[in-house]
Amino acid sequence: MSESYADEAVIRRVLLESRTWAFVGLRDNPGRTAYDMAQLLQSRGKTIVPVHPGAETVLGEPGVPSLAEVTRRVDVVGVYRRAEHAGEAADEAIKLFAAYGPRGDGEVRAVWFPLDVIDETAARRVRDAGIDVVMDRCPAIEWARLGLPR
């Protein structure tokens, strides 16, 4: 995997400056990594949007069945699905961000593929659309590694 999808400056900016994360694959299941990461980011002041076909409420936030049905502006789409589904989620994220219009100065737009979710073809499509990409990285590990404030 290319290290260009683990740029420290991008990771730092995404973690510090983002406000809202859409979590693709997030269900109300505390035994899942997506739940842990959503809870961590929520504890750090981020708003979460659970995205799952069941549209469950998770951590007090109402869910939506797909990215196409997200009605609020999001800064980051976290793809917490198996790698074989990452391309579909990436394409939906590109459409979601395109609906916002041109990217403004300092605006965070990113797709985050967590540990072991690797799809370089999907990541290139996201990057070619002008969206930052982080791949094969864990928000919790990166937060600690970079010594970011709690």
Side-chain angles (χ1 to χ4, degrees):
M1 182 195 79
S2 169
E3 285 302 309
S4 67
Y5 300 120
D7 182 285
E8 187 171 302
V10 170
I11 292 169
R12 180 180 299 276
R13 187 167 52 78
V14 167
L15 292 176
L16 286 176
E17 297 177 20
S18 64
R19 294 178 306 272
T20 304
W21 285 56
F23 278 84
V24 177
L26 177 58
R27 295 179 29 212
D28 192 24
N29 182 347
R32 305 291 298 189
T33 301
Y35 187 97
D36 291 341
M37 291 306 102
Q39 188 172 46
L40 171 93
L41 291 170
Q42 191 179 54
S43 77
R44 303 274 159 76
K46 312 300 181 190
T47 299
I48 63 160
V49 178
V51 180
H52 188 277
E56 301 173 41
T57 295
V58 181
L59 297 166
E61 296 290 342
V64 296
S66 70
L67 283 173
E69 295 180 56
V70 171
T71 58
R72 66 183 315 156
R73 189 175 196 91
V74 298
D75 302 309
V76 182
V77 172
V79 181
Y80 284 83
R81 302 271 330 266
R82 289 188 309 266
E84 60 263 25
H85 302 289
E88 178 184 347
D91 293 339
E92 290 176 6
I94 291 167
K95 289 176 188 171
L96 176 68
F97 288 125
Y100 299 165
R103 185 176 184 158
D105 287 341
E107 183 179 356
V108 175
R109 288 187 186 178
V111 174
W112 189 295
F113 298 99
L115 294 173
D116 299 323
V117 178
I118 300 169
D119 184 334
E120 291 202 44
T121 302
R124 274 193 299 279
R125 287 196 308 271
V126 171
R127 183 172 282 161
D128 289 347
I131 303 164
D132 289 325
V133 180
V134 177
M135 188 164 52
D136 198 27
R137 294 292 181 265
C138 169
I141 292 169
E142 295 303 313
W143 202 288
R145 183 183 71 77
L146 295 171
L148 301 178
R150 294 182 179 258

